[in-house]
Amino acid sequence: MDVLTKSLTFLEQRHRIIADNIANINTPFFKAKEAPLDEFRKSLADALRAAGKTGASALTLRSTEHVSFGPDGMAVTPVKANAPDAVLRHDQNNVSLEREMAALAENTLLYRTLSDLLRKQFMMLQTAVKERVE
Amino acid sequence: MMFDMLDISASALAAYRVRMDVIANNVANIMTTRNAQGQSIPYRRRVALFSSGAPGVVGGSGVRVSQIIEDPAPFRKVYDPDHPDAVKSGPDKGCVNYPNVSDEVEMVDMIAATRAYQANVTAYEAGKSLIAAALRLIV
């Protein structure tokens, strides 16, 4: 359950970064940004491995360079996207609309999938609490 | 707070609305040879300048219109000596200065602004569906 909530929080931050890129598609000198997905994935995998060893149910994620976990939740610092400089654009902007729209669609589907999984888990808890299957 | 992620796309929608208004104003004034005070000063094409980071949006995200500037390009000259705003003396005698607005440029800008607006509507809808998915957790 903790994996799902942590991932959902990260995906929410990722949506902000993608929305910011799309908002700035025509802003001169703007450079595309990206959520540090690999960093988050690694720190989640490390936390899962540690939890598996100790048998703890709650995950303790270690902060990385761009993803920090504090008392007030997760803070994600965007990183510079690995996008080629758009030679055909005079305004030095390198946001690719297609890339961002694809990322947006992927992020939304992923978020919905994970939230559905979380909802199913809550429903299982409800079933257990009620002691009968509906 | 989750709801404020919609502010990023909303700031872009507002900015593109302004850009659209500026373009519409340029097209509307394509033949305007006098200013608001009635003086023979033609309308100058205006351009909305964008800069990243909208006021009130967390984390310096979003976009805002930082400035609306006037295009310094020269006016279009059309020879029409009977026009009341024709130049009275000098080498351009008999020419009327028309605004430096070009139909083609404005149309292309309008299409670009429309498409960018649509892209941001899509991002807004995606944000809404994220919030809806999170709210569905309350069964």
Side-chain angles (χ1 to χ4, degrees):
Chain A
M1 219 176 240
D2 220 14
V3 181
L4 292 175
T5 46
K6 291 276 195 310
S7 304
L8 283 171
T9 317
F10 181 79
L11 290 180
E12 187 208 320
Q13 299 291 329
R14 188 168 174 235
H15 174 83
R16 283 168 200 269
I17 296 165
I18 299 168
D20 190 33
N21 284 339
I22 296 173
N24 284 291
I25 193 101
N26 275 319
T27 309
F29 308 109
F30 184 86
K31 297 285 179 216
K33 287 180 276 188
E34 213 169 57
L37 196 60
D38 290 339
E39 263 181 46
F40 175 74
R41 216 175 257 161
K42 197 178 168 298
S43 109
L44 192 64
D46 287 348
L48 274 173
R49 213 170 295 126
K53 270 186 200 142
T54 58
S57 63
L59 289 177
T60 27
L61 275 80
R62 249 178 325 114
S63 297
T64 57
E65 198 184 343
H66 299 101
V67 192
S68 68
F69 303 93
D72 29 296
M74 185 191 300
V76 178
T77 319
V79 293
K80 206 169 149 283
N82 186 23
D85 276 334
V87 283
L88 287 175
R89 294 190 63 166
H90 302 296
D91 60 359
Q92 307 282 311
N93 183 315
N94 71 343
V95 179
S96 153
L97 186 59
E98 291 78 13
R99 189 200 296 263
E100 298 305 330
M101 292 323 254
L104 185 74
E106 186 216 331
N107 197 58
T108 310
L109 286 172
L110 208 52
Y111 190 94
R112 290 167 78 122
T113 312
L114 293 189
S115 75
D116 277 352
L117 284 172
L118 191 57
R119 202 157 59 94
K120 285 285 184 298
Q121 293 217 354
F122 281 134
M123 282 160 82
M124 274 157 70
L125 276 180
Q126 206 174 27
T127 309
V129 170
K130 282 187 178 168
E131 290 185 4
R132 65 187 151 86
V133 185
E134 280 177 25
Chain B
M1 188 59 188
M2 198 179 183
F3 291 103
D4 61 16
M5 71 181 173
L6 293 177
D7 291 350
I8 301 170
S9 301
S11 76
L13 292 180
Y16 279 102
R17 168 78 63 196
V18 172
R19 174 167 276 203
M20 207 57 154
D21 287 348
V22 171
I23 295 168
N25 193 38
N26 286 341
V27 176
N29 283 293
I30 200 155
M31 296 294 244
T32 307
T33 52
R34 294 190 181 187
N35 65 6
Q37 284 75 43
Q39 296 159 305
S40 282
I41 299 167
Y43 174 85
R44 266 195 188 281
R45 172 174 180 254
R46 289 183 191 143
V47 187
L49 289 189
F50 278 20
S51 90
S52 57
V57 179
V58 284
S61 303
V63 68
R64 69 175 192 277
V65 177
S66 58
Q67 220 181 337
I68 295 175
I69 55 158
E70 291 194 340
D71 188 346
F75 293 123
R76 267 182 303 131
K77 286 186 202 313
V78 176
Y79 184 71
D80 185 3
D82 296 331
H83 195 287
D85 293 321
V87 179
K88 302 284 184 296
S89 61
D92 292 336
K93 190 170 182 292
C95 282
V96 181
N97 280 318
Y98 279 106
N100 52 353
V101 179
S102 132
D103 278 328
E104 297 85 355
V105 171
E106 299 306 323
M107 284 300 161
V108 169
D109 283 356
M110 203 191 290
I111 293 168
T114 312
R115 295 288 177 248
Y117 191 93
Q118 285 168 345
N120 280 291
V121 170
T122 308
Y124 195 96
E125 291 288 342
K128 262 168 66 185
S129 83
L130 252 60
I131 294 172
L135 287 175
R136 268 205 306 276
L137 289 173
I138 312 163
V139 273

